[in-house]
Amino acid sequence: MDQSWMRASRITAEYGTGVEQFLQFTEMHAPSLHGKYFCPCVKCANGRHQTLSEIRSHLICHGKIPNYTNWIWHGELPDNPTLSHTEAIDVDTGCRIEEMIRDLGQDGFRQAHAPLYDKIENDSKTPLYSGCTTFTRLSAVLALVNLKARFGWSDKSFTELLVLLKKLLPEDNMLPKSQYEAKKILCPVGMEYQKIHACPNDCILYRNEYAKMRTCPTCGVSRYKVKNHEESDVATAENSHPAKVCWYLPIIPRFRRLFANRYDAKQLMWHVEGRKIDGLLRHPADSPQWKAFDALYPDFGNETRNLRLGLASDGMNPFGNLSTSHSSWPVLLMIYNLPPWLCMKRKYIMLCMMIAGPRQPGNDIDVYLAPLIEDLRTMWEHGVDVWDGNLQETFRLRAMVFCTINDFPAYGNLSGYSVKGHHACPICEKNTSFVQLKHGKKTVYTRHRRFLNQIHPYR
């Protein structure tokens, strides 16, 4: 039905004729409630039932909802988009095993993980069922897991789907029957993580020279949770759980996989190839800090693919209202080489560490950051060889921490600077202007207007 009358003026004959045609269409096709229909005027907004005469007066006096073009409440069938109008879902994940292994970013993967490599290779050559030429066992699982991630399916619903598909396919099919089995097939493709035990008092991480110790050499507290009837030296790895855990997700393999993707590798060059350079501050690359660093370290700045990272950390309560005192600390990395519309997207924000609670690490956060600092120092001092999927070449990648993002208390924890007392300002330091309240015993910081312009009216 012609809807051009909806854009005409309400005092024209065209609008009046369109209203009459709409009412006739509604009377013929729309279900009525005791002779009343939904009124599409601006005030009723299809929320009230009115008679046809009332709808006529409402449409002429108030006007029709401008965006109500599909009259589903008045008998018009909704548009059913066909497959040709919808976005196609790419389920062809391919079976390029060599590219997949290279994307893993692990040197000598085949030699160091021969069983895992053989398992991936076998699954990539095993047909989904006898006579199937479209999917292998690996490609089918990759396609299904990709759909699960894109549309947010739960593990339970994904398992039910696998059970149904396994019944629909021939009996000799190789499809996994649960989400757990599918995860085991893709396990070698996933990124590694490290579960590091920590002292409950935040003294040490049980790694390197402390890896085999059962008690903390600093405070003497047991590494494992001790039951009431046990002694601290009885708790071992076999019969107890660690008292505190720090999860570390190594950043070097993740950077390698990021550059192995052609699209991501191209986006990481945006600050050089796609940025508009006109003297305005639109991106961190326009800042004086970025330019000063390139001038101070020209070897680093000459390789435009070297990464500038932002580090953020703060306490969070994963249990909501169930616990008011629990504090876990995630550590995030942002990549400022990316365009401004991508660098703060969830896909490109890298969770590199999770410090478990229930207590916040405070000034001892440097103990937990040791694995991350080691990788960052490696990337700064020596660099790592990385495959560039965009330029199809290997280069030496380096990285540096460009800035940190945190609130003032977390700033004190990360930097080691005291953010309390008379000299709490990290900029002014000893020149901080303060007043000690006589009765409240609190410190008040004054003379903020001195930072304003000399000719500012508030000075």
Side-chain angles (χ1 to χ4, degrees), residues 30-200:
S32 65
L33 181 64
H34 305 295
K36 295 184 178 182
Y37 305 88
F38 285 110
C39 180
C41 75
V42 174
K43 288 193 173 182
C44 296
N46 288 324
R48 298 177 182 176
H49 288 84
Q50 308 286 358
T51 62
L52 291 177
S53 60
E54 291 173 335
I55 294 176
R56 179 185 294 107
S57 62
H58 282 199
L59 291 178
I60 294 176
C61 295
H62 309 309
K64 190 174 182 293
I65 306 173
N67 58 355
Y68 182 54
T69 57
N70 191 6
W71 301 337
I72 58 174
W73 301 110
H74 298 86
E76 186 177 13
L77 296 177
D79 292 336
N80 294 322
T82 60
L83 188 61
S84 60
H85 295 98
T86 57
E87 180 184 357
I89 299 174
D90 183 16
V91 296
D92 185 15
T93 56
C95 304
R96 299 171 300 223
I97 296 302
E98 294 299 331
E99 293 185 12
M100 186 183 300
I101 297 303
R102 186 175 62 198
D103 288 351
L104 294 178
Q106 300 179 14
D107 298 330
F109 181 88
R110 185 168 188 171
Q111 291 76 14
H113 305 84
L116 297 180
Y117 184 94
D118 294 339
K119 185 176 183 301
I120 294 177
E121 192 172 22
N122 292 335
D123 289 339
S124 68
K125 296 178 180 178
T126 303
L128 185 58
Y129 55 87
S130 299
C132 178
T133 58
T134 307
F135 286 99
T136 63
R137 189 180 192 224
L138 180 61
S139 65
V141 173
L142 282 173
L144 290 171
V145 172
N146 183 31
L147 291 176
K148 176 183 183 296
R150 287 183 60 183
F151 299 106
W153 299 345
S154 64
D155 292 347
K156 185 176 181 181
S157 65
F158 187 64
T159 299
E160 294 294 331
L161 175 64
L162 291 176
V163 171
L164 178 61
L165 292 177
K166 195 168 182 66
K167 292 179 181 179
L168 294 176
L169 295 174
E171 293 184 0
D172 61 342
N173 69 83
M174 302 298 294
L175 194 71
K177 60 183 179 181
S178 66
Q179 187 268 346
Y180 177 74
E181 291 186 7
K183 189 175 179 180
K184 287 179 65 177
I185 294 174
L186 300 180
C187 182
V189 185
M191 304 300 295
E192 64 172 330
Y193 64 88
Q194 299 175 12
K195 181 180 178 181
I196 307 174
H197 297 179
C199 172

Side-chain angles (χ1 to χ4, degrees), residues 292-354:
F293 191 88
D294 287 348
L296 190 60
Y297 300 98
D299 293 340
F300 185 91
N302 291 337
E303 176 54 75
T304 56
R305 289 171 290 189
N306 287 337
L307 299 178
R308 273 83 165 179
L309 307 174
L311 187 146
S313 182
D314 202 357
M316 57 165 287
N317 185 357
F319 302 107
N321 296 329
L322 298 178
S323 175
T324 57
S325 59
H326 191 100
S327 180
S328 295
W329 282 62
V331 181
L332 307 174
L333 288 179
M334 283 69 67
I335 304 174
Y336 287 130
N337 297 49
L338 292 167
W341 57 86
L342 289 182
C343 63
M344 290 300 173
K345 292 289 185 181
R346 183 176 64 176
K347 176 181 177 181
Y348 295 102
I349 295 180
M350 188 180 299
L351 175 65
C352 59
M353 181 170 289
M354 172 60 74

Side-chain angles (χ1 to χ4, degrees), residues 428 432 451 459:
C428 302
T432 303
F451 299 106
R459 275 218 60 168

